[in-house]
């Protein structure tokens, strides 16, 4: 059997499969179905300083080969995450976990990251800078290289754990944002977050989502995500966590060939709660089929032909 | 409660009315524990699963009654016996059989009648004396009246146009003795039901869902007891905790 291990910012993972934030809760719902310790790790639900009720319903719509969500960062706030959710998570999952953090100001990102940094099970901090409605001239942190760098620096000051910055695809040049994060000290970048989208109900002639727009995820965005991982890999040196529509072992291999060190799986968990387990089980055979002995060897492998 | 994923075989898919069909699926039903729980069906060509409440459960099969309202239900209507479906079972909390006294009223509107059928059977098993109040728009929409009567319980049908049973809405037939109520149907109906009684009630809600098992936070509503995910903390809420949106 091939070697599935990868190293993510100094921490060894049994395999590169990581459920993406917002699609896996705090893990325990999925632990009803399978032993989630088979995962490389997972990124838990985005955490903010204060509790957030999220957006009005409907928050979910469907697209061809994908789904839209406008949940709006519903979460119980960092204090409740630490006191209530993490102890439950620890019962179901025994490996280091990725803490996903959102904020509405640089200070809030730093505050929440500082508190989660103190939690022993948190192995990495994933900073979500693709949330709209945050300060910075009306632009989200994830669409302005300067703001992205500012958040990255602020978070790096409060933690010694690896910082992963999660990037938005809703930009003209994702490479410049990734580069700004790397220059500001980010240990890794994850991309892509969801793609801003909408649907209209033909009967009511109104947007389906109460929030009008939402983020598209699922297989529909896989080629777009792959292209962005490819481009970012050509410029930055830090590891990339590739995500966006990954649904199979073959998708994982393709994402790694584009430049990903590890791969997150999002929407697939919501339609097929066993998706990550099934992908992990399917990986050895898929590796054999494509002549891969050590999975970590193939990161960026598709760029090789350019150099020859 | 624990969900399960399994492959089920369609053994029956038959129209009950012009728009409403009954689907019977055979497979491992062990995760379906209580009336009021639901399942998520995966349909070819549609990304998201579709939630349906369980209308009845037998040893190795369960029944869903659904109305064709969109793309997903149109596909489901056309599925032939023998077809295999990927189903998540054991979802949601289900009704509390002891919450509404010994003589509860089961108030259904349209396809909301569906989960009340298995509920009636389970209440009878516990020695309770439920009565059914089933609301429809017109006579040709009526389904399951005979099935409820066959259980030996009092069954009242209302139609908005008076073409069958009592003319009017379910609330026009609630002037009677009962110890509490279980209801499922359009929210406007359930709200009207709650407005004309102080008795304890259990309400089953239907919201647009993502996953159906508590992971995506797509169906969260505000209640007097805080935020609740309709798919995981519901779909059944008690009348005391419901906060009406409109």
């Amino acid at each position: 059997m091939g070697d599935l291990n990868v190293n993510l910012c100094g921490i060894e993972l049994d395999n590169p499969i990581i459920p993406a934030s917002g699609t896996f809760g705090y893990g325990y719902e999925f632990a009803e179905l399978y032993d989630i310790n088979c995962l490389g790790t997972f990124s838990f639900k985005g955490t903010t300083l204060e509790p957030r009720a999220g957006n009005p319903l409907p928050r979910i719509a469907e697209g061809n080969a994908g789904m839209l969500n406008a949940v709006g960062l519903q979460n119980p706030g960092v204090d409740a995450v630490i006191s209530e959710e993490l102890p439950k998570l620890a019962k179901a999952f025994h490996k280091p976990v990725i803490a996903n953090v959102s904020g509405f100001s640089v200070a809030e990102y730093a505050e929440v990251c500082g508190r989660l940094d103190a939690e022993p099970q948190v192995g990495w901090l994933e900073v979500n800078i693709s949330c709209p409605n945050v300060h910075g001239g009306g632009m989200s942190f994830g669409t302005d290289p300067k703001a992205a760098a500012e958040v990255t620096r602020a978070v790096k000051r409060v933690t010694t754990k690896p910082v992963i910055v999660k990037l938005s695809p809703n930009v003209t040049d994702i490479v410049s944002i990734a580069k700004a994060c790397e220059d500001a000290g980010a240990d890794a970048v994850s991309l892509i977050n969801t793609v801003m989208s909408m649907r209209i109900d033909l009967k009511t002639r109104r947007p389906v989502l109460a929030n009008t727009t939402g983020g598209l995820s699922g297989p529909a965005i896989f080629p777009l995500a792959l292209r962005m991982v490819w481009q970012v890999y050509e410029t930055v040196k830090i590891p990339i966590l590739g995500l966006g529509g990954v649904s199979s072992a073959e998708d994982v291999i393709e994402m790694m060939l584009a430049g990903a060190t590890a791969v997150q799986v999002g929407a697939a968990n919501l339609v097929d709660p066993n998706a990550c387990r099934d992908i992990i089980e399917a990986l050895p055979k898929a590796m054999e089929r494509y002549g891969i002995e050590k999975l970590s060897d193939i990161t960026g492998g598709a760029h090789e032909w350019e150099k020859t | 409660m624990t969900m399960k994923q399994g492959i089920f075989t369609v053994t029956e898919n038959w129209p009950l009315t012009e728009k409403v069909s009954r689907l019977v699926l055979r497979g491992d039903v062990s995760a379906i524990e209580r009336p009021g729980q639901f399942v998520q069906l995966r349909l070819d060509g549609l990304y998201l699963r579709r939630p349906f409440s369980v209308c009845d459960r037998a040893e190795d099969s369960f029944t869903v009654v659904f109305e064709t309202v969109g793309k997903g239900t149109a596909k489901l209507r056309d599925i032939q016996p023998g077809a295999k479906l990927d189903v998540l079972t054991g979802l949601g909390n289900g009704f509390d059989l002891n919450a509404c006294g010994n003589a509860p009223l089961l108030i259904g509107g349209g396809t909301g009648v569906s989960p009340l059928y298995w509920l009636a059977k389970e209440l009878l098993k516990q020695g309770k004396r439920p009565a059914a109040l089933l609301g429809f728009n017109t006579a040709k929409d009526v389904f399951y009246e005979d099935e409820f009567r066959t259980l030996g319980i009092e069954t009242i049908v209302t139609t908005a146009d008076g073409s069958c049973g009592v003319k009017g809405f379910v609330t026009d037939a609630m002037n009677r003795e009962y110890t509490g109520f279980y209801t499922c149907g359009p929210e406007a109906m359930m709200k009207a039901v709650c407005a004309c009684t102080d008795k304890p009630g259990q309400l089953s809600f239907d919201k647009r869902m993502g996953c159906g098992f508590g992971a995506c936070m797509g169906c969260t509503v505000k209640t007097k007891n805080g935020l609740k995910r309709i798919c995981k903390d519901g779909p059944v809420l008690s009348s005391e905790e419901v906060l009406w949106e409109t």
Side-chain angles (χ1 to χ4, degrees):
Chain A
M1 187 169 130
D3 180 356
L4 273 69
N5 290 42
V6 299
N7 185 299
L8 183 59
C9 309
I11 303 175
E12 285 291 327
L13 305 183
D14 294 333
N15 60 67
I17 306 306
I18 304 171
S21 181
T23 66
F24 213 70
Y26 302 93
Y28 47 80
E29 270 89 13
F30 291 82
E32 285 183 17
L33 280 173
Y34 67 92
D35 181 1
I36 62 172
N37 289 289
C38 70
L39 302 168
T41 178
F42 73 93
S43 182
F44 65 67
K45 178 81 184 131
T47 303
T48 52
L49 187 59
E50 301 296 333
R52 284 180 57 83
N55 289 325
L57 303 189
R59 296 174 176 182
I60 303 288
E62 191 171 45
N64 290 330
M67 61 178 283
L68 292 76
N69 89 80
V71 169
L73 294 173
Q74 181 192 335
N75 80 97
V78 67
D79 288 338
V81 167
I82 289 171
S83 63
E84 286 162 38
E85 300 295 346
L86 294 190
K88 283 196 263 181
L89 184 159
K91 280 188 192 147
F93 190 64
H94 311 127
K95 299 177 178 179
V97 72
I98 302 176
N100 184 285
V101 174
S102 277
F104 296 85
S105 70
V106 172
E108 182 181 352
Y109 277 106
E111 175 72 31
V112 177
C113 285
R115 289 202 211 170
L116 287 167
D117 171 77
E119 292 304 306
Q121 199 173 0
V122 171
W124 309 257
L125 291 159
E126 181 175 49
V127 183
N128 174 11
I129 56 164
S130 29
C131 147
N133 314 324
V134 287
H135 95 157
M139 293 230 286
S140 80
F141 288 102
T143 56
D144 172 13
K146 278 185 197 147
E150 196 189 345
V151 176
T152 306
R153 274 191 297 270
V155 171
K156 282 296 286 180
R157 275 196 289 271
V158 299
T159 182
T160 54
K161 289 176 177 172
V163 172
I164 304 162
V165 184
K166 186 167 179 178
L167 305 181
S168 168
N170 306 306
V171 295
T172 311
D173 180 14
I174 195 166
V175 177
S176 64
I177 315 263
K179 189 76 177 69
C181 294
E182 180 180 47
D183 292 344
D187 298 282
V189 282
S190 51
L191 57 131
I192 56 175
N193 206 321
T194 56
V195 180
M196 200 190 273
S197 304
M198 73 179 291
R199 296 304 304 268
I200 292 169
D201 184 316
L202 301 188
K203 285 178 197 152
T204 62
R205 300 188 178 189
R206 287 182 182 182
V208 172
L209 296 169
N211 191 52
T212 304
T213 60
L216 181 64
S217 57
I221 69 167
F222 178 75
L224 171 65
L226 192 79
R227 182 268 291 179
M228 289 187 159
V229 168
W230 172 278
Q231 289 179 322
V232 169
Y233 182 81
E234 300 224 307
T235 301
V236 306
K237 303 274 187 299
I238 53 177
I240 298 166
L241 290 89
L243 74 150
V246 173
S247 314
S248 66
E250 284 75 14
D251 291 346
V252 171
I253 292 172
E254 197 173 340
M255 197 56 106
M256 292 181 75
L257 286 169
T261 292
V263 175
Q264 295 192 359
V265 178
N269 294 304
L270 303 177
V271 291
D272 182 1
N274 289 306
C276 285
R277 181 202 65 185
D278 293 347
I279 290 171
I280 292 164
E281 283 175 6
L283 263 173
K285 272 209 174 139
M287 287 165 63
E288 210 180 299
R289 202 173 312 130
Y290 297 102
I292 302 162
E293 280 174 19
K294 192 170 164 45
L295 201 47
S296 61
D297 284 347
I298 70 164
T299 294
H303 296 259
E304 296 296 323
W305 67 271
E306 287 184 314
K307 294 169 196 156
T308 55
Chain B
M1 252 158 283
T2 308
M3 65 172 160
K4 271 195 180 170
Q5 183 176 16
I7 302 298
F8 285 69
T9 307
V10 176
T11 59
E12 182 189 325
N13 192 8
W14 195 252
L16 297 174
T17 72
E18 192 185 325
K19 283 190 173 164
V20 173
S21 299
R22 175 169 61 199
L23 177 75
V24 181
L25 290 160
R26 194 175 62 221
D28 175 6
V29 297
S30 59
I32 305 173
E33 294 176 348
R34 286 212 273 177
Q37 287 190 300
F38 68 98
V39 300
Q40 282 265 65
L41 306 183
R42 195 161 196 184
L43 298 165
D44 278 348
L46 295 178
Y47 192 66
L48 293 171
R49 288 173 187 266
R50 297 296 193 270
F52 297 94
S53 56
V54 175
C55 171
D56 198 8
R57 192 203 67 185
E59 282 290 299
D60 66 345
S61 69
F62 70 91
T63 303
V64 157
V65 170
F66 67 95
E67 182 180 356
T68 301
V69 290
K71 244 192 328 191
T73 42
K75 271 183 193 284
L76 193 57
R77 180 195 56 205
D78 295 337
I79 280 177
Q80 299 299 314
K84 310 272 189 208
L85 286 180
D86 173 345
V87 187
L88 282 180
T89 56
L91 304 174
N93 58 354
F95 291 111
D96 180 348
L97 300 186
N98 295 310
C100 302
N102 286 322
L105 197 51
L106 315 189
I107 308 166
T111 43
V113 162
S114 162
L116 303 180
Y117 180 67
W118 184 24
L119 173 67
K121 288 170 80 171
E122 292 299 312
L123 289 166
L124 285 168
K125 269 190 205 165
Q126 295 212 341
K128 300 190 194 306
R129 303 181 311 281
L133 175 47
L134 315 176
F136 299 94
N137 282 323
T138 185
K140 69 176 173 51
D141 294 343
V142 176
F143 67 89
Y144 262 47
E145 181 186 1
D146 291 343
E147 279 80 354
F148 276 91
R149 284 198 207 287
T150 304
L151 297 177
I153 67 176
E154 188 187 352
T155 303
I156 307 148
V157 167
T158 69
T159 52
D161 65 1
S163 54
C164 178
V166 177
K167 181 174 167 38
F169 300 110
V170 289
T171 43
D172 295 315
M174 282 178 66
N175 187 15
R176 48 178 289 126
E177 293 293 314
Y178 56 96
T179 55
F181 66 95
Y182 295 90
T183 185
C184 182
E187 276 187 34
M189 181 202 86
M190 296 201 291
K191 187 181 177 186
V193 164
C194 287
C196 63
T197 176
D198 309 325
K199 300 222 162 63
Q202 294 246 302
L203 295 77
S204 178
F205 283 84
D206 178 18
K207 294 285 186 192
R208 196 178 279 258
M209 290 174 187
C211 63
F213 50 89
C216 75
M217 310 290 159
C219 60
T220 308
V221 298
K222 287 178 181 145
T223 75
K224 288 177 193 165
N225 298 326
L227 298 176
K228 292 210 167 183
R229 297 161 296 179
I230 287 299
C231 71
K232 180 82 179 176
D233 310 310
V236 177
L237 302 179
S238 81
S239 53
E240 295 103 61
E241 67 183 332
V242 172
L243 284 172
W244 297 105
E245 282 162 25
T246 46

